[in-house]
Amino acid sequence: MTAADTELQPRRKGLTRSQKRSLSRGVQYVVFVAAVIAFAVGADWGRLQNQFAQWDIAKQMFPDVITLALKNTVLYTVSGFVFALVLGLVVALMRLSSVAPYRWVAGVYIEIFRGLPALLIFIFIGVAVPLAFPGTEIVGGTYGKAAIALGLVGAAYLAETFRAGIQAVPKGQLEAARSLGFSPTRAMVSIIIPQAFRIILPPLTNEFVILFKDSSLVLLLGVTLEERELSKYGRDLASTTANSTPILVAGLCYLLVTIPLGFVVRRMEANARKAVK
Protein backbone atom coordinates (compact mmCIF):
# COMPACT_ATOMS: atom_id res chain seq x y z
CA MET A 1 0.00 0.00 0.00
CA THR A 2 1.43 3.31 -1.04
CA ALA A 3 1.54 6.50 0.99
CA ALA A 4 -1.09 7.99 -1.32
CA ASP A 5 -3.49 5.08 -0.62
CA THR A 6 -2.96 5.55 3.10
CA GLU A 7 -3.86 9.20 2.88
CA LEU A 8 -7.04 8.36 0.98
CA GLN A 9 -8.31 6.07 3.78
CA PRO A 10 -10.73 7.83 6.18
CA ARG A 11 -9.15 8.72 9.46
CA ARG A 12 -10.64 7.12 12.56
CA LYS A 13 -12.04 9.66 14.95
CA GLY A 14 -12.50 8.98 18.66
CA LEU A 15 -15.28 10.29 20.84
CA THR A 16 -15.22 13.97 21.61
CA ARG A 17 -15.04 15.19 25.18
CA SER A 18 -18.72 16.13 25.27
CA GLN A 19 -19.67 12.71 23.86
CA LYS A 20 -17.62 11.00 26.56
CA ARG A 21 -19.36 13.05 29.24
CA SER A 22 -22.77 12.19 27.79
CA LEU A 23 -21.85 8.50 27.64
CA SER A 24 -20.63 8.59 31.25
CA ARG A 25 -23.85 10.23 32.42
CA GLY A 26 -25.89 7.69 30.50
CA VAL A 27 -24.05 4.79 32.14
CA GLN A 28 -24.58 6.33 35.59
CA TYR A 29 -28.31 6.75 34.93
CA VAL A 30 -28.58 3.15 33.83
CA VAL A 31 -26.76 1.91 36.94
CA PHE A 32 -28.97 4.08 39.17
CA VAL A 33 -32.21 2.88 37.57
CA ALA A 34 -31.04 -0.74 37.72
CA ALA A 35 -30.23 -0.36 41.45
CA VAL A 36 -33.66 1.17 42.16
CA ILE A 37 -35.44 -1.59 40.26
CA ALA A 38 -33.41 -4.28 42.01
CA PHE A 39 -34.26 -2.77 45.42
CA ALA A 40 -37.95 -2.39 44.55
CA VAL A 41 -38.24 -5.96 43.27
CA GLY A 42 -36.06 -7.65 45.88
CA ALA A 43 -37.45 -5.98 49.04
CA ASP A 44 -40.17 -7.70 51.01
CA TRP A 45 -42.54 -4.72 51.30
CA GLY A 46 -45.12 -6.68 53.24
CA ARG A 47 -42.74 -7.47 56.09
CA LEU A 48 -41.40 -3.92 56.07
CA GLN A 49 -44.91 -2.54 56.35
CA ASN A 50 -45.79 -4.88 59.19
CA GLN A 51 -42.66 -3.91 61.13
CA PHE A 52 -42.31 -0.19 60.36
CA ALA A 53 -45.63 1.16 59.09
CA GLN A 54 -48.45 0.22 61.43
CA TRP A 55 -50.84 3.15 61.27
CA ASP A 56 -52.66 2.19 64.48
CA ILE A 57 -49.42 2.30 66.46
CA ALA A 58 -48.36 5.56 64.83
CA LYS A 59 -51.65 7.23 65.78
CA GLN A 60 -51.11 6.31 69.43
CA MET A 61 -47.93 8.40 69.47
CA PHE A 62 -49.71 11.67 68.83
CA PRO A 63 -49.72 14.28 70.21
CA ASP A 64 -47.07 13.18 72.77
CA VAL A 65 -44.41 12.62 70.14
CA ILE A 66 -44.67 16.33 69.27
CA THR A 67 -45.68 17.98 72.55
CA LEU A 68 -43.30 15.90 74.69
CA ALA A 69 -40.52 14.15 72.75
CA LEU A 70 -39.91 16.70 69.99
CA LYS A 71 -40.29 19.59 72.44
CA ASN A 72 -37.68 18.09 74.78
CA THR A 73 -35.34 17.42 71.87
CA VAL A 74 -35.56 21.05 70.77
CA LEU A 75 -35.06 22.29 74.34
CA TYR A 76 -31.97 20.12 74.82
CA THR A 77 -30.55 21.26 71.49
CA VAL A 78 -31.21 24.98 71.93
CA SER A 79 -29.79 25.09 75.46
CA GLY A 80 -26.72 23.11 74.38
CA PHE A 81 -26.22 25.30 71.31
CA VAL A 82 -26.38 28.52 73.33
CA PHE A 83 -23.81 27.15 75.77
CA ALA A 84 -21.64 26.01 72.84
CA LEU A 85 -21.83 29.48 71.25
CA VAL A 86 -20.65 31.24 74.40
CA LEU A 87 -17.95 28.71 75.26
CA GLY A 88 -16.83 28.37 71.63
CA LEU A 89 -16.39 32.14 71.27
CA VAL A 90 -14.36 32.31 74.50
CA VAL A 91 -12.14 29.42 73.40
CA ALA A 92 -11.66 30.98 69.96
CA LEU A 93 -10.54 34.27 71.51
CA MET A 94 -8.19 32.33 73.78
CA ARG A 95 -6.79 30.54 70.71
CA LEU A 96 -6.10 33.92 69.10
CA SER A 97 -4.71 35.47 72.28
CA SER A 98 -1.14 36.72 72.51
CA VAL A 99 -0.89 35.04 75.94
CA ALA A 100 0.69 31.63 75.38
CA PRO A 101 -1.03 29.73 78.26
CA TYR A 102 -4.42 30.78 76.91
CA ARG A 103 -3.50 29.42 73.48
CA TRP A 104 -2.27 26.16 75.00
CA VAL A 105 -5.40 25.61 77.08
CA ALA A 106 -7.65 26.39 74.12
CA GLY A 107 -5.67 24.08 71.85
CA VAL A 108 -5.77 21.19 74.32
CA TYR A 109 -9.53 21.63 74.85
CA ILE A 110 -10.24 21.67 71.11
CA GLU A 111 -8.12 18.63 70.36
CA ILE A 112 -9.56 16.58 73.24
CA PHE A 113 -13.24 17.35 72.73
CA ARG A 114 -13.06 17.07 68.96
CA GLY A 115 -11.27 13.75 69.25
CA LEU A 116 -13.53 12.12 71.84
CA PRO A 117 -16.85 10.56 70.74
CA ALA A 118 -19.87 12.47 72.01
CA LEU A 119 -20.99 9.25 73.70
CA LEU A 120 -18.02 9.34 76.11
CA ILE A 121 -18.65 12.99 76.97
CA PHE A 122 -22.25 12.23 77.93
CA ILE A 123 -21.11 9.29 80.06
CA PHE A 124 -18.51 11.53 81.72
CA ILE A 125 -21.14 14.18 82.58
CA GLY A 126 -23.68 11.60 83.73
CA VAL A 127 -21.38 9.27 85.70
CA ALA A 128 -17.93 10.73 86.38
CA VAL A 129 -19.01 14.19 87.55
CA PRO A 130 -21.42 12.89 90.25
CA LEU A 131 -18.69 10.51 91.46
CA ALA A 132 -16.08 13.26 91.58
CA PHE A 133 -18.36 15.76 93.32
CA PRO A 134 -20.80 13.76 95.48
CA GLY A 135 -23.93 15.62 96.51
CA THR A 136 -23.45 18.30 93.85
CA GLU A 137 -26.48 18.95 91.68
CA ILE A 138 -26.25 20.64 88.30
CA VAL A 139 -28.76 23.46 87.93
CA GLY A 140 -31.66 22.40 85.72
CA GLY A 141 -31.32 18.68 86.37
CA THR A 142 -31.30 16.64 83.19
CA TYR A 143 -31.81 19.73 81.06
CA GLY A 144 -28.77 21.38 82.63
CA LYS A 145 -26.60 18.29 82.21
CA ALA A 146 -27.73 17.91 78.60
CA ALA A 147 -26.89 21.56 77.90
CA ILE A 148 -23.39 21.10 79.35
CA ALA A 149 -22.71 17.84 77.50
CA LEU A 150 -23.97 19.14 74.15
CA GLY A 151 -22.23 22.47 74.73
CA LEU A 152 -18.88 20.82 75.41
CA VAL A 153 -19.23 18.77 72.23
CA GLY A 154 -20.30 21.70 70.06
CA ALA A 155 -17.97 24.34 71.50
CA ALA A 156 -14.84 22.48 70.36
CA TYR A 157 -16.03 22.71 66.74
CA LEU A 158 -17.53 26.18 67.03
CA ALA A 159 -14.28 27.52 68.47
CA GLU A 160 -12.45 26.67 65.26
CA THR A 161 -15.35 28.07 63.23
CA PHE A 162 -15.23 31.32 65.19
CA ARG A 163 -11.47 31.51 64.82
CA ALA A 164 -11.71 31.10 61.05
CA GLY A 165 -14.48 33.70 60.86
CA ILE A 166 -12.55 36.25 62.92
CA GLN A 167 -9.42 35.74 60.83
CA ALA A 168 -11.51 36.10 57.65
CA VAL A 169 -12.48 39.67 58.59
CA PRO A 170 -10.09 42.04 56.76
CA LYS A 171 -7.37 43.40 59.05
CA GLY A 172 -8.20 46.88 57.83
CA GLN A 173 -11.43 46.73 59.84
CA LEU A 174 -9.50 46.46 63.11
CA GLU A 175 -7.00 49.09 62.05
CA ALA A 176 -9.81 51.49 61.12
CA ALA A 177 -11.52 50.93 64.47
CA ARG A 178 -8.27 51.53 66.34
CA SER A 179 -7.68 54.75 64.39
CA LEU A 180 -11.11 55.95 65.55
CA GLY A 181 -10.10 55.49 69.16
CA PHE A 182 -11.62 52.07 69.85
CA SER A 183 -9.82 49.93 72.39
CA PRO A 184 -8.78 46.43 71.19
CA THR A 185 -11.57 44.83 73.23
CA ARG A 186 -14.24 47.24 72.03
CA ALA A 187 -13.10 46.91 68.43
CA MET A 188 -13.30 43.12 68.68
CA VAL A 189 -16.76 43.16 70.29
CA SER A 190 -18.30 45.94 68.20
CA ILE A 191 -16.62 45.52 64.80
CA ILE A 192 -14.87 42.19 64.28
CA ILE A 193 -17.14 39.64 65.99
CA PRO A 194 -20.40 40.89 64.34
CA GLN A 195 -18.77 40.60 60.91
CA ALA A 196 -17.40 37.17 61.78
CA PHE A 197 -20.89 36.02 62.77
CA ARG A 198 -22.20 36.98 59.35
CA ILE A 199 -19.42 35.00 57.67
CA ILE A 200 -19.88 31.84 59.74
CA LEU A 201 -23.68 31.78 59.86
CA PRO A 202 -24.04 28.73 57.54
CA PRO A 203 -21.53 26.62 59.54
CA LEU A 204 -23.31 27.64 62.75
CA THR A 205 -26.59 26.32 61.36
CA ASN A 206 -24.89 23.08 60.34
CA GLU A 207 -23.56 22.69 63.89
CA PHE A 208 -27.09 23.18 65.25
CA VAL A 209 -28.28 20.31 63.06
CA ILE A 210 -25.44 18.10 64.34
CA LEU A 211 -26.29 18.91 67.97
CA PHE A 212 -29.95 18.25 67.24
CA LYS A 213 -29.06 14.69 66.26
CA ASP A 214 -26.55 14.30 69.11
CA SER A 215 -29.36 15.10 71.56
CA SER A 216 -30.37 11.44 71.18
CA LEU A 217 -27.53 10.67 73.63
CA VAL A 218 -29.33 12.46 76.47
CA LEU A 219 -30.81 9.09 77.47
CA LEU A 220 -27.36 8.25 78.93
CA LEU A 221 -27.91 10.94 81.56
CA GLY A 222 -30.93 9.12 82.98
CA VAL A 223 -34.23 10.69 81.99
CA THR A 224 -37.72 10.44 83.43
CA LEU A 225 -40.80 9.75 81.33
CA GLU A 226 -41.43 13.48 81.06
CA GLU A 227 -37.82 14.20 80.02
CA ARG A 228 -37.59 11.73 77.13
CA GLU A 229 -36.40 13.00 73.77
CA LEU A 230 -37.35 11.56 70.38
CA SER A 231 -34.97 8.58 70.29
CA LYS A 232 -35.74 7.45 73.84
CA TYR A 233 -39.47 7.96 73.30
CA GLY A 234 -39.42 5.93 70.08
CA ARG A 235 -37.33 3.11 71.58
CA ASP A 236 -39.56 2.82 74.64
CA LEU A 237 -42.71 2.52 72.53
CA ALA A 238 -41.01 0.10 70.15
CA SER A 239 -40.23 -2.16 73.11
CA THR A 240 -43.77 -1.85 74.45
CA THR A 241 -45.49 -2.58 71.13
CA ALA A 242 -42.87 -5.06 69.82
CA ASN A 243 -42.91 -3.05 66.60
CA SER A 244 -40.50 -0.58 64.98
CA THR A 245 -43.12 1.90 63.79
CA PRO A 246 -42.38 4.32 66.71
CA ILE A 247 -38.74 4.45 65.66
CA LEU A 248 -39.74 5.39 62.11
CA VAL A 249 -42.10 8.09 63.37
CA ALA A 250 -39.34 9.48 65.62
CA GLY A 251 -37.00 9.57 62.63
CA LEU A 252 -39.57 11.49 60.60
CA CYS A 253 -39.85 14.01 63.43
CA TYR A 254 -36.09 14.58 63.22
CA LEU A 255 -36.49 15.25 59.50
CA LEU A 256 -39.19 17.83 60.22
CA VAL A 257 -36.44 19.97 61.74
CA THR A 258 -33.29 18.99 59.86
CA ILE A 259 -34.65 19.26 56.29
CA PRO A 260 -35.90 22.88 56.64
CA LEU A 261 -32.65 23.82 58.38
CA GLY A 262 -30.67 22.23 55.55
CA PHE A 263 -32.64 24.30 53.06
CA VAL A 264 -31.90 27.45 55.09
CA VAL A 265 -28.18 26.64 55.09
CA ARG A 266 -28.13 26.19 51.32
CA ARG A 267 -29.93 29.49 50.82
CA MET A 268 -27.48 31.31 53.09
CA GLU A 269 -24.50 29.78 51.31
CA ALA A 270 -25.97 30.79 47.93
CA ASN A 271 -26.55 34.34 49.17
CA ALA A 272 -22.98 34.46 50.53
CA ARG A 273 -21.59 33.38 47.14
CA LYS A 274 -23.64 36.07 45.38
CA ALA A 275 -22.38 38.69 47.82
CA VAL A 276 -18.79 37.70 47.07
CA LYS A 277 -19.36 38.00 43.33
Side-chain angles (χ1 to χ4, degrees):
M1 183 179 293
T2 64
D5 293 335
T6 303
E7 291 179 358
L8 291 176
Q9 289 182 349
R11 296 181 179 178
R12 294 182 179 179
K13 295 183 178 180
L15 296 176
T16 64
R17 186 172 300 177
S18 61
Q19 290 174 332
K20 290 179 180 179
R21 284 198 298 265
S22 299
L23 179 61
S24 176
R25 283 196 300 269
V27 172
Q28 293 177 43
Y29 280 122
V30 171
V31 171
F32 174 76
V33 172
V36 171
I37 293 175
F39 175 77
V41 173
D44 190 337
W45 295 103
R47 294 182 63 183
L48 285 174
Q49 181 179 1
N50 289 334
Q51 187 64 28
F52 288 96
Q54 290 295 320
W55 177 244
D56 293 338
I57 297 176
K59 286 193 299 183
Q60 296 173 12
M61 300 178 66
F62 291 89
D64 287 349
V65 68
I66 302 296
T67 59
L68 176 68
L70 182 57
K71 181 199 71 174
N72 284 335
T73 300
V74 172
L75 287 176
Y76 292 140
T77 306
V78 171
S79 59
F81 185 70
V82 171
F83 181 69
L85 275 179
V86 175
L87 181 59
L89 180 57
V90 172
V91 174
L93 293 176
M94 291 174 62
R95 191 74 184 266
L96 296 171
S97 174
S98 59
V99 181
Y102 287 169
R103 296 197 305 271
W104 299 338
V105 171
V108 170
Y109 168 80
I110 290 171
E111 293 302 324
I112 289 177
F113 282 88
R114 284 202 308 177
L116 287 175
L119 175 71
L120 296 183
I121 296 174
F122 274 84
I123 294 175
F124 177 80
I125 296 297
V127 178
V129 171
L131 290 176
F133 304 97
T136 302
E137 290 292 335
I138 296 176
V139 177
T142 302
Y143 293 95
K145 290 187 286 187
I148 293 174
L150 288 171
L152 290 174
V153 173
Y157 294 93
L158 289 182
E160 288 295 271
T161 303
F162 274 122
R163 182 181 64 81
I166 291 172
Q167 291 179 329
V169 176
K171 293 183 179 179
Q173 297 290 320
L174 181 59
E175 295 170 356
R178 297 286 289 133
S179 67
L180 294 174
F182 283 66
S183 66
T185 302
R186 186 182 174 191
M188 179 65 70
V189 173
S190 302
I191 305 297
I192 305 301
I193 291 178
Q195 294 187 60
F197 260 101
R198 185 176 60 184
I199 294 171
I200 66 175
L201 197 55
L204 288 182
T205 310
N206 276 329
E207 185 60 33
F208 183 87
V209 173
I210 293 172
L211 289 182
F212 184 73
K213 293 183 292 184
D214 284 344
S215 65
S216 61
L217 297 173
V218 171
L219 62 92
L220 298 173
L221 302 176
V223 296
T224 65
L225 292 177
E226 296 300 317
E227 295 171 340
R228 290 178 296 176
E229 39 70 46
L230 281 171
S231 293
K232 175 66 172 173
Y233 183 82
R235 288 177 59 187
D236 286 350
L237 284 183
S239 299
T240 303
T241 60
N243 191 274
S244 299
T245 299
I247 295 177
L248 176 63
V249 174
L252 294 176
C253 289
Y254 278 105
L255 295 179
L256 286 177
V257 176
T258 57
I259 290 179
L261 283 176
F263 175 77
V264 170
V265 170
R266 288 192 295 271
R267 291 292 299 175
M268 288 191 296
E269 290 175 344
N271 291 336
R273 286 194 295 268
K274 290 180 182 178
V276 172
K277 293 180 181 179

